[in-house]
Amino acid sequence: QPDTPNNFSCQTQDMRTVTCTWNKGGDTYLYGQKIFLSFPTSSPHTFFDRFSPKLVPCTVRCSEQCSCSWDRGKQRIWNITVTVENPLGKKTATDIFDVTERIYPAAPFQLWEESTDTKITLNWKHQNQGIELFCQAEVLQPDGKVELHNTSDTHLNYPSITLSGLQPHTEYTARVRCGAARHFWRWGEWSKARTVRTKEATPSGKLDIWREITPVLGGRNVTLFWKQAPDFRANGRSISYEVTWKKVEDDSKAESISFSSGYNSTRFSFDNHAYRISVKANNGVNYSLPSVLIIPRATGNNRIIFKVSGSELKEEQVNGTDDGIFISWEPRHQYDGYIIDWCNFPMLQPCDLQWEKFGPNTSSALINSAAFVPGVRYKFHIYGSVANRAFLLEKKTGYLRELPPLLDPIVEKVKLTFNAVTLSWDSYPTNESQPGFVRGYHVYVSPIEENCSLKGSQKHVLPDDSVLCKYTIENPEEKRYTVQNLLSNKKYELAVKAYTGGGETPIADFIYIDTPFNSNMLYLLVLLVIVPSLVAAICGLKMNW
């Protein structure tokens, strides 16, 4: 038997033509009174108007969905039944409706717009003349989000909708659909989408600026950097930057220079006076609010005054994670914010200086960058800021991930006795050239052809199951060690390895030594054997005499 017609309903777009639709049922594999296997075929359909017992003059068309349309004439109320039958039976579905309550408006067309910097008014035409419509606009935001805006008035001849609260100089994509205002049944079809750009306006927000100060003879070299802060919007087609500077202490005239959008830094050669620098963005409509930075004066010995105290700050080691390098600092109530700067490429010049700013209630941050790689030491400076001035508070240094040392210490001196050997590697570096913080050293000792059992050492088993004695030096600046309790006249193999938080590399090379014969044993032999023998011989000769 055929399937029952599902989702059967009727509607009109123009109050003249009625269209009924329903889902096409599954194939019955029947044609007429015959039963056979074949490709699917459509079932016969007939329409009946029960108020007027006659066939509705329409032609059924089916693809994924079936439909049938006819001219309604002057009749408003309809009771329509669709019948689907084959030789095994028939199924029906009925829809009773008022045409005036089944309006499905056609899609709006010929959209055009009027725009300001924050508003867009969409206008359109529609085919449903004489029908009051309630319309809705769908707006695609630049971030991919979709917003819906409904009209507050019904439209007859001049439909429009105003979209407000938009960003200047930004593209929006909108489309419109409508529904009947008096008897809303369902939304009509969407219009074609239209992309509209709002007009330009004054830049909003401020630029984020920072500096790098290098003392030189007679003054300082100051490199000024700027970037667009998260809350900054250019609001224009093109952007340029104006940098202005003047001395703080006197009323000298300010100087300025402009840069195109491709620039994000400039360098000044200042004397030892304090300077005020401001940066503004210009988009051709107007300037943004200025971002201001005070370069402090230098002392008589040309050292810049930006530290909290006169003492030199020590670098504190910090640890990295898979997500970045964690930095924390002691908060101070007198500052209105904090700045952390670092170099993305510390071994290069320029080093690609980066910075991040934080509010007064923040005392830690996870610093991450796509440029961070394992085995490179990064240095971080933490500043407190107040009244456009920055003061260095703390220094941090760390790795995204520590790696084992690339090179082994080179043993430069070997001092050997019959029961001890002293090794030294004074020139081994522990600075930022290492792929990790050097935590200390391991000295490995083993006599040839024997298992090691030296006192004061730890047993260390190599991958080939051979055993070494391991001594640990936990001070990276202690580059000398004496291995004691050796046996005289023996062969030993030794190795010195540096280790970091990333471990150490496998032992590849050994140093071979031969401990000398113990001369004290010879002296003892003389005292205990030769001297008594000589005394006995003399005594024997005397007795014989």
Side-chain angles (χ1 to χ4, degrees):
Q1 296 186 30
D3 293 333
T4 300
N6 290 324
N7 298 325
F8 178 61
S9 65
C10 303
Q11 61 197 16
T12 181
Q13 282 191 330
D14 53 10
M15 294 296 293
R16 293 190 298 271
T17 301
V18 177
T19 300
C20 293
T21 58
W22 66 96
N23 293 340
K24 179 183 178 182
D27 291 319
T28 63
Y29 302 100
L30 287 176
Y31 181 78
Q33 295 183 357
K34 297 180 180 179
I35 300 176
F36 62 95
L37 296 175
S38 67
F39 290 101
T41 60
S42 59
S43 301
H45 297 72
T46 56
F47 269 96
F48 295 94
D49 172 13
R50 294 184 177 179
F51 288 1
S52 302
K54 62 180 181 180
L55 294 175
V56 176
C58 70
T59 303
V60 175
R61 293 179 175 83
C62 291
S63 54
E64 294 182 359
Q65 191 179 51
C66 296
S67 65
C68 193
S69 301
W70 71 95
D71 190 344
R72 75 176 184 91
K74 295 183 179 181
Q75 186 170 333
R76 272 184 53 196
I77 308 299
W78 293 80
N79 186 343
I80 301 296
T81 298
V82 58
T83 301
V84 183
E85 64 179 337
N86 65 17
L88 295 182
K90 67 178 180 179
K91 297 291 176 63
T92 62
T94 301
D95 188 17
I96 303 174
F97 60 95
D98 184 335
V99 174
T100 61
E101 299 177 1
R102 291 290 183 88
I103 299 175
Y104 176 74
F109 63 99
Q110 291 187 7
L111 270 69
W112 75 97
E113 76 283 342
E114 300 168 355
S115 65
T116 66
D117 56 343
T118 59
K119 292 182 180 181
I120 295 175
T121 300
L122 287 174
N123 304 275
W124 63 89
K125 295 182 180 180
H126 58 76
Q127 300 175 354
N128 307 92
Q129 299 297 329
I131 302 176
E132 291 188 36
L133 298 178
F134 174 76
C135 298
Q136 183 182 71
E138 179 190 76
V139 182
L140 178 62
Q141 302 284 336
D143 59 1
K145 294 182 180 179
V146 175
E147 292 184 358
L148 296 176
H149 297 258
N150 296 328
T151 57
S152 57
D153 301 323
T154 58
H155 304 290
L156 287 173
N157 299 320
Y158 304 102
S160 66
I161 188 171
T162 299
L163 311 174
S164 58
L166 307 180
Q167 295 289 346
H169 193 65
T170 303
E171 280 191 351
Y172 295 88
T173 301
R175 58 180 184 171
V176 181
R177 63 182 178 181
C178 299
R182 290 189 176 180
H183 303 285
F184 182 84
W185 184 51
R186 63 175 59 170
W187 289 111
E189 297 175 355
W190 285 108
S191 68
K192 291 183 178 180
R194 185 170 181 84
T195 299
V196 184
R197 181 183 290 275
T198 52
K199 296 186 181 299
E200 295 177 291
T202 299
S204 59
K206 294 181 179 181
L207 295 171
D208 187 0
I209 65 174
W210 189 232
R211 84 293 181 274
E212 184 180 35
I213 304 176
T214 305
V216 294
L217 184 63
R220 290 79 49 81
N221 286 335
V222 177
T223 303
L224 180 72
F225 301 91
W226 60 85
K227 61 185 178 181
Q228 296 184 3
D231 61 345
F232 177 85
R233 289 189 57 84
N235 294 340
R237 187 174 289 105
S238 61
I239 197 81
S240 62
Y241 306 100
E242 182 179 279
V243 180
T244 304
W245 67 97
K246 69 179 294 293
K247 290 183 179 180
V248 174
E249 289 90 350
D250 57 30
D251 295 329
S252 60
K253 184 179 179 181
E255 299 179 73
S256 64
I257 187 173
S258 296
F259 297 91
S260 63
S261 60
Y263 288 84
N264 64 356
S265 66
T266 186
R267 174 174 289 187
F268 301 97
S269 293
F270 288 156
D271 55 26
N272 291 329
H273 291 87
Y275 282 80
R276 180 184 186 273
I277 302 177
S278 67
V279 185
K280 296 185 293 185
N282 183 7
N283 63 358
V285 176
N286 206 341
Y287 285 97
S288 68
L289 294 174
S291 299
V292 180
L293 193 63
I294 302 296
I295 304 300
R297 66 181 180 86
T299 61
N301 60 358
N302 204 24
R303 295 189 65 185
I304 302 165
I305 301 176
F306 59 5
K307 295 178 181 174
V308 178
S309 64
S311 61
E312 186 72 22
L313 295 175
K314 293 183 178 180
E315 286 185 339
E316 179 185 345
Q317 294 183 6
V318 293
N319 299 320
T321 67
D322 292 337
D323 300 321
I325 299 176
F326 183 76
I327 307 294
S328 62
W329 60 91
E330 180 184 349
R332 282 87 164 176
H333 65 85
Q334 64 267 38
Y335 299 110
D336 54 22
Y338 300 95
I339 304 105
I340 301 178
D341 71 6
W342 71 92
C343 286
N344 268 342
F345 306 99
M347 306 303 292
L348 301 179
Q349 286 298 332
C351 69
D352 188 21
L353 184 71
Q354 301 292 316
W355 72 95
E356 283 192 33
K357 294 184 177 180
F358 304 91
N361 298 323
T362 303
S363 60
S364 64
L366 185 65
I367 305 298
N368 51 39
S369 170
F372 285 172
V373 294
V376 175
R377 186 182 298 185
Y378 299 96
K379 296 185 177 183
F380 302 88
H381 298 90
I382 303 167
Y383 299 83
S385 65
V386 60
N388 300 320
R389 299 174 185 265
F391 300 87
L392 181 60
L393 305 179
E394 300 178 27
K395 293 181 180 180
K396 310 284 184 178
T397 181
Y399 296 83
L400 183 68
R401 187 175 76 249
E402 294 185 61
L403 300 178
L406 297 176
L407 300 175
D408 293 334
I410 298 175
V411 178
E412 300 162 344
K413 295 180 181 179
V414 178
K415 184 179 179 181
L416 191 62
T417 66
F418 69 89
N419 67 343
V421 60
T422 300
L423 309 174
S424 63
W425 51 95
D426 296 334
S427 63
Y428 189 72
T430 59
N431 56 17
E432 60 270 10
S433 64
Q434 293 286 2
F437 295 115
V438 177
R439 316 282 179 169
Y441 308 94
H442 289 142
V443 178
Y444 297 94
V445 184
S446 176
I448 298 177
E449 300 178 355
E450 291 184 30
N451 288 333
C452 189
S453 58
L454 295 175
K455 294 181 180 179
S457 64
Q458 293 179 332
K459 182 179 179 181
H460 180 77
V461 181
L462 295 176
D464 61 357
D465 294 331
S466 60
V467 178
L468 299 176
C469 290
K470 182 174 75 172
Y471 298 89
T472 300
I473 306 170
E474 296 182 348
N475 182 2
E477 299 305 321
E478 185 179 339
K479 302 176 183 179
R480 180 185 298 266
Y481 192 75
T482 299
V483 181
Q484 298 179 345
N485 302 313
L486 301 180
L487 298 177
S488 64
N489 198 25
K490 289 286 187 179
K491 292 182 179 292
Y492 288 91
E493 51 187 5
L494 302 95
V496 179
K497 303 288 291 185
Y499 65 91
T500 67
E504 64 181 55
T505 56
I507 301 174
D509 298 313
F510 284 94
I511 301 172
Y512 296 93
I513 64 169
D514 292 302
T515 54
F517 184 78
N518 188 353
S519 59
N520 294 331
M521 296 295 294
L522 181 60
Y523 298 149
L524 185 62
L525 179 64
V526 170
L527 292 175
L528 296 181
V529 178
I530 297 178
V531 172
S533 298
L534 182 60
V535 171
I538 294 173
C539 290
L541 290 173
K542 187 174 182 180
M543 289 174 64
N544 292 334
W545 179 79

